[in-house]
Amino acid sequence: MSSELLFEIVVLLIGTSATSLGALWYFQRVRLERPPIGVFNSRDVFIVLTFIIALPLLYLILPGIVLTGFLVLTFTSALYVTFRGVIPPKYLWFLIAGVLGLNIIVAYTLLGATFGLQLYWLLNSVVALCASIGIANLYVQGGMRMRNVAMFAVLLAFYDGIFEFIIPITQRLADRFEGMPLDPSIGFAWGGNNANIGLGDLLIYALFTIAAYKGFGRRGFTVAFPVIIVFGALMPSFAPLVIQSVTRSGIGIVVPAQIFFGPAALVSYLWLARQAPERSMREWYRAQASARQQATETAVGVGSVTKVIAE
Amino acid sequence: MFETAIRQLRMAMAMIWGRPINPRNLELLVDDVLKTLEEFGEPGDDVQQLLEGPFADPKDRKEFQNRSLQLTARRLMRVSPYYQKLFATHQVDPDNLTVDDLPKLPTTRKRDLQADPHAFLTKDGQPALTTRTTGTTGTPTEIWISRYEIQLWSALSALSGLLRGEIGPSESFQVNISSRATAAIQMNLDVARLAHARTRILGIIDPEESLTSLATTSDDAPTQMSTYPSYLARLINTARRMGMTRRDFHLKRVISGGEILSPALTQAAIETFGVREVSDTFGMTEVLPVSGRVCSHGHLHLDLNTGHIEVISLDTDQPATPGELGTLVITPYYPYRECMPVFRYDTRDVVRVLPDEPLHCEFAASPGTSAILGKADHLLRLPDRIVTPREILEVYEALPSQPWPARFSAQVVEQHIELTIPEAALTGITRSQVERRFTEAGLDVRIADGSVVSNEEMAHMRPIRADLLETTFAGRK
Ligand SMILES: [Zn+2]
């Protein structure tokens, strides 16, 4: 196994795990505000998909400075969603401005040095991680079901396939972002190797993890997480060995991850849905409440035992 | 999510620009609420703001009122023969009309509607359904409503009912109001249909039959009932006579309207039917969709988003001041009312203006008045004060003889009030004890020797809504 491939596997494993587990951790702890009326439905999937398809095309034709402005706007709103309920507004704006500003400065000044490149990737990765966690939670807490996520992943698989093999812009896109501030991906550079995983993929994995957990509980997670690791990180990494056309040494390696993950996501959903009906947010709240109730009762039980012993 | 946002935007734009609201769009929004409730069990954050409307803030309210009045007046000037003439006579300039100009304009009363109903129909209105109201004078008035109006009002009502958690797929409604109240019946049916709830329209039928329906043991047993206080009273009496208790019913809420509801009757309904709540509401076909409800502090809160509310002094036609009695004058705004609109409609329902201080009730976001105190023509004018029908009724219905549905007649004789009551009211209590009850409530009420009449005679003297009994084969037995 080449060091390039090994490095990529490590980056992808860290990226996908951090996003999936981070999103789950957030989902269990933070309640996002939702509008008085409205549930995330399949039509919203198409709208998000349209954005995911249209934006990269826009990225290709926009001048650098406009593209950066666009990314600043996107990440500002995404980070705002993520941290609104966690950090008081006055600090939040300061923090967002600081992180994004630093990211831009590093991208323009320090990329020549290895340390600079690594700092650049570190900052990018943190921003992309937090953004995908927040947005995924916004959708799932807004009513997006695992059914919708699976559909989303399958559609993205087609999209990835088309843009990889029929209209090959994926690589051009990766090149376009190379060295630009706010590259929407998690990645790293080490010993001349460079690997990253895009925000679209990260968002799908975050969505898949929490939608599975919300809809099917612990079992949902134990199915979803391995599927993400195998089909979202490992298989796309080994794919270049099989599909030679995908590799381009030297510059970052691009992987059409959804081609593997989409069908796997659909099969996992269908399998889980056969075992039990998918839970709504309401049923999830109820399950949470009864779990808390049980925890309290257990604690009380332990407390009275202690008391008996003490007496 | 996105579709819902677009629908809300469309509705908001129509409201802001004063364009007709697309009822279909609103019905789809109702569906969105149902889906939201199904997914989350409750509406999202800031639902209160959505319910109170954007005009709960007093500063914005005045500007909104002026704009809505201008819009409404402009349209009446164009399409309503009656108001074309009236506005011309009083030189009303709809473009510059403000809330402060209103007292200079005459109010519209029922007799105006009766005199020439066709003059109130708009030129572009498409009448679809009429409600015939029979006043005590016997001359019926026909209020025409368009398809657009009935659809719009029902969707608005379903939307707020669902968001407040008052209606929904698990609810089953029993409607005991007169079958001739067609607009109300149609709205009940439509709201229940939109909210995926069940409806039983029974009308004012034999109380035993209504109770049998209420006491159904199957899972479609009524959870809510709409009726008049007088019919509610008959249901309570009949249920008690039949030995029925709260365990026989599944009712959670009684929605009462059309007559004065007393605390004694409310309490009896709570005890007999085991309901948690008796909602006292205000609604009138002439001014729909403007409606109101009484809060836990006993204020009447009317919906300010769909119409302009005034309380005008009994004798001067000027705005009543805090603490003063006056009649409710209502102007439903365009685009909520379009087929047979009225402007400054004097309902003749008397209320008292509340003291000019902040409210602390559950509906405090919208201003209130006292609850309805009775019809202006039924006020009792003593030399030193005015006694309202509600004051008498509340003491009367609280008598230990529980003489409800209340039938009495009251008139001013010299310095006091002479009350005529049926024999039944004196069950277990003497005449002088009854008089003392009124005195304790601050009312100088006397019952003369000849003023206790037979129950039949009293029923004849003082008709109530529950008398408009509709027959059924079951009821004829
Ligand atoms: Zn109140």
Side-chain angles (χ1 to χ4, degrees):
Chain A
M1 198 186 286
S2 70
S3 72
E4 190 184 337
L5 181 57
L6 194 66
F7 177 70
E8 185 186 331
I9 289 174
V10 172
V11 169
L12 258 63
L13 280 179
I14 293 176
T16 47
S17 317
T19 312
S20 305
L21 299 176
L24 184 65
W25 186 88
Y26 188 97
F27 183 75
Q28 290 171 320
R29 284 162 184 81
V30 184
R31 253 324 51 115
L32 287 173
E33 255 181 48
R34 65 183 165 91
I37 314 173
V39 182
F40 197 100
N41 61 20
S42 50
R43 229 158 285 185
D44 295 303
V45 171
F46 284 103
I47 289 164
V48 175
L49 199 71
T50 311
F51 270 102
I52 288 187
I53 293 172
L55 284 183
L57 300 177
L58 210 61
Y59 292 158
L60 282 181
I61 54 167
L62 284 179
I65 185 81
V66 181
L67 175 58
T68 303
F70 211 83
L71 289 169
V72 166
L73 202 70
T74 309
F75 280 118
T76 304
S77 37
L79 292 179
Y80 179 71
V81 166
T82 313
F83 292 110
R84 185 172 45 176
V86 187
I87 300 172
K90 51 182 175 181
Y91 302 116
L92 180 53
W93 290 117
F94 188 71
L95 191 80
I96 292 175
V99 169
L100 297 187
L102 190 62
N103 195 308
I104 294 169
I105 291 166
V106 169
Y108 280 121
T109 57
L110 295 177
L111 281 196
T114 310
F115 161 75
L117 190 61
Q118 288 179 337
L119 183 63
Y120 161 81
W121 273 121
L122 216 59
L123 283 168
N124 266 347
S125 301
V126 168
V127 169
L129 176 72
C130 295
S132 49
I133 288 175
I135 298 302
N137 270 278
L138 185 73
Y139 291 169
V140 174
Q141 293 191 24
M144 189 184 200
R145 301 257 179 140
M146 193 181 177
R147 172 166 37 92
N148 304 126
V149 182
M151 185 171 92
F152 195 10
V154 168
L155 290 172
L156 270 180
F158 279 107
Y159 162 80
D160 259 8
I162 289 168
F163 283 109
E164 186 60 36
F165 301 114
I166 301 172
I167 318 164
I169 65 155
T170 322
Q171 192 54 54
R172 280 173 59 198
L173 200 61
D175 297 348
R176 178 77 167 95
F177 281 120
E178 194 73 40
M180 284 281 293
L182 298 171
D183 186 336
S185 55
I186 285 181
F188 206 60
W190 188 273
N193 291 319
N194 212 344
N196 67 328
I197 173 170
L199 187 65
D201 295 329
L202 295 173
L203 180 63
I204 277 287
Y205 302 145
L207 284 170
F208 193 66
T209 310
I210 49 179
Y213 172 74
K214 185 214 95 186
F216 302 100
R218 198 180 289 267
R219 195 158 49 122
F221 175 76
T222 50
V223 170
F225 191 66
V227 167
I228 289 170
I229 295 300
V230 173
F231 293 90
L234 294 178
M235 281 184 66
S237 305
F238 286 109
L241 294 176
V242 186
I243 313 161
Q244 281 299 318
S245 66
V246 181
T247 45
R248 274 185 28 177
S249 53
I251 314 170
I253 296 161
V254 176
V255 192
Q258 297 309 317
I259 291 175
F260 303 99
F261 182 72
L266 183 65
V267 171
S268 323
Y269 162 69
L270 292 174
W271 187 78
L272 281 168
R274 267 177 58 133
Q275 319 281 314
E278 186 171 1
R279 290 187 302 189
S280 63
M281 277 304 283
R282 172 193 211 166
E283 285 158 332
W284 189 76
Y285 289 142
R286 265 198 217 133
Q288 285 285 96
S290 76
R292 261 199 305 274
Q293 176 76 21
Q294 272 181 2
T296 319
E297 276 163 18
T298 316
V300 169
V302 171
S304 48
V305 169
T306 324
K307 202 172 155 213
V308 169
I309 294 168
E311 278 169 0
Chain B
M1 208 77 125
F2 184 72
E3 278 175 301
T4 309
I6 296 290
R7 283 178 193 134
Q8 280 177 283
L9 187 72
R10 281 183 64 186
M11 184 181 159
M13 290 320 274
M15 282 164 80
I16 289 168
W17 299 112
R19 310 281 310 155
I21 296 166
N22 182 343
R24 185 64 203 138
N25 180 57
L26 215 51
E27 288 180 0
L28 289 171
L29 206 50
V30 172
D31 275 343
D32 291 341
V33 178
L34 279 169
K35 287 184 189 130
T36 306
L37 296 176
E38 200 183 314
E39 177 66 34
F40 300 101
E42 59 186 9
D45 304 278
D46 297 332
V47 68
Q48 205 52 36
Q49 204 184 334
L50 192 72
L51 280 170
E52 283 161 7
F55 316 113
D57 178 59
K59 272 204 306 262
D60 300 342
R61 196 185 299 144
K62 186 127 185 186
E63 191 175 325
F64 166 74
Q65 285 171 330
N66 287 340
R67 217 147 32 87
S68 305
L69 283 172
Q70 288 165 8
L71 183 76
T72 308
R74 261 202 298 275
R75 182 168 179 279
L76 290 178
M77 195 79 160
R78 224 173 51 239
V79 297
S80 166
Y82 180 86
Y83 289 104
Q84 269 171 357
K85 219 161 101 189
L86 186 92
F87 288 176
T89 315
H90 290 83
Q91 292 165 337
V92 175
D93 173 13
D95 292 330
N96 293 307
L97 190 72
T98 67
V99 173
D100 306 317
D101 299 329
L102 289 181
K104 290 178 231 155
L105 280 169
T107 57
T108 302
R109 289 206 191 171
K110 191 169 202 145
R111 56 171 184 246
D112 302 313
L113 280 170
Q114 281 166 335
D116 189 5
H118 289 283
F120 285 87
L121 278 172
T122 52
K123 290 170 190 164
D124 58 356
Q126 295 179 335
L129 173 85
T130 181
T131 293
R132 257 169 106 90
T133 61
T134 317
T136 39
T137 56
T139 321
T141 322
E142 282 201 322
I143 309 294
W144 281 97
I145 292 159
S146 67
R147 226 173 87 87
Y148 162 81
E149 286 173 328
I150 203 85
Q151 258 188 302
L152 178 68
W153 303 345
S154 305
L156 283 172
S157 174
L159 202 59
S160 74
L162 280 168
L163 289 175
R164 286 181 207 278
E166 290 170 347
I167 54 175
S170 59
E171 301 295 326
S172 173
F173 289 86
Q174 175 161 317
V175 181
N176 287 111
I177 61 176
S178 165
S179 306
R180 283 177 299 266
T182 46
I185 300 266
Q186 185 67 47
M187 268 182 79
N188 266 296
L189 285 168
D190 276 357
V191 169
R193 172 179 59 82
L194 290 171
H196 296 197
R198 303 173 200 213
T199 346
R200 270 199 182 88
I201 307 283
L202 293 186
I204 301 298
I205 54 169
D206 181 53
E208 279 191 33
E209 226 185 312
S210 290
L211 287 168
T212 312
S213 161
L214 282 178
T216 314
T217 45
S218 57
D219 59 2
D220 60 357
T223 55
Q224 303 196 36
M225 168 172 69
S226 306
T227 193
Y228 310 118
S230 57
Y231 191 72
L232 179 64
R234 294 189 61 173
L235 289 180
I236 293 170
N237 293 346
T238 313
R240 288 178 174 178
R241 202 185 61 235
M242 290 166 73
M244 295 171 108
T245 66
R246 56 170 64 208
R247 276 190 294 279
D248 295 308
F249 305 104
H250 304 83
L251 279 179
K252 292 188 293 196
R253 186 162 84 114
V254 171
I255 304 146
S256 153
E259 293 169 332
I260 298 173
L261 177 72
S262 73
L265 194 66
T266 303
Q267 196 49 42
I270 290 172
E271 280 160 17
T272 308
F273 296 118
V275 293
R276 284 199 294 264
E277 188 193 348
V278 181
S279 303
D280 191 2
T281 62
F282 171 86
M284 195 180 237
T285 315
E286 291 91 321
V287 295
L288 280 174
V290 180
S291 60
R293 58 200 294 181
V294 177
C295 70
S296 57
H297 293 212
H299 319 128
L300 174 66
H301 295 267
L302 287 144
D303 175 20
L304 295 182
N305 292 303
T306 52
H308 183 66
I309 316 293
E310 298 167 78
V311 180
I312 61 166
S313 171
L314 294 173
D315 306 311
T316 65
D317 272 8
Q318 289 302 304
T321 51
E324 196 185 343
L325 290 175
T327 56
L328 268 181
V329 173
I330 300 176
T331 305
Y333 295 139
Y334 182 76
Y336 299 103
R337 188 93 196 197
E338 56 136 32
C339 182
M340 200 169 167
V342 287
F343 197 87
R344 297 199 81 213
Y345 188 78
D346 189 343
T347 62
R348 305 304 290 153
D349 278 314
V350 177
V351 293
R352 195 180 291 281
V353 178
L354 295 179
D356 205 1
E357 53 198 41
L359 303 177
H360 302 287
C361 57
E362 68 271 32
F363 306 141
S366 64
T369 64
S370 75
I372 302 282
L373 304 174
K375 284 283 174 193
D377 304 335
H378 301 158
L379 293 176
L380 299 162
R381 288 167 187 266
L382 291 173
D384 58 335
R385 63 171 290 209
I386 297 173
V387 174
T388 65
R390 177 179 281 274
E391 288 174 84
I392 311 261
L393 182 109
E394 286 191 353
V395 178
Y396 182 76
E397 287 200 336
L399 292 176
S401 51
Q402 303 186 333
W404 58 57
R407 295 178 197 270
F408 56 81
S409 110
Q411 60 197 111
V412 175
V413 176
E414 291 157 13
Q415 313 274 316
H416 68 272
I417 295 165
E418 278 285 347
L419 204 61
T420 306
I421 57 169
E423 286 161 349
L426 293 180
T427 314
I429 187 169
T430 65
R431 223 165 47 181
S432 57
Q433 281 171 325
V434 172
E435 287 176 346
R436 197 173 323 130
R437 293 249 175 174
F438 279 100
T439 315
E440 280 161 13
L443 296 168
D444 188 0
V445 168
R446 292 175 209 170
I447 303 161
D449 280 340
S451 295
V452 178
V453 300
S454 74
N455 298 339
E456 292 72 30
E457 200 179 331
M458 196 67 238
H460 195 70
M461 276 172 72
R462 172 78 203 279
I464 50 177
R465 281 184 190 263
D467 291 335
L468 300 171
L469 208 61
E470 297 161 29
T471 52
T472 63
F473 282 116
R476 272 167 32 152
K477 67 181 184 296

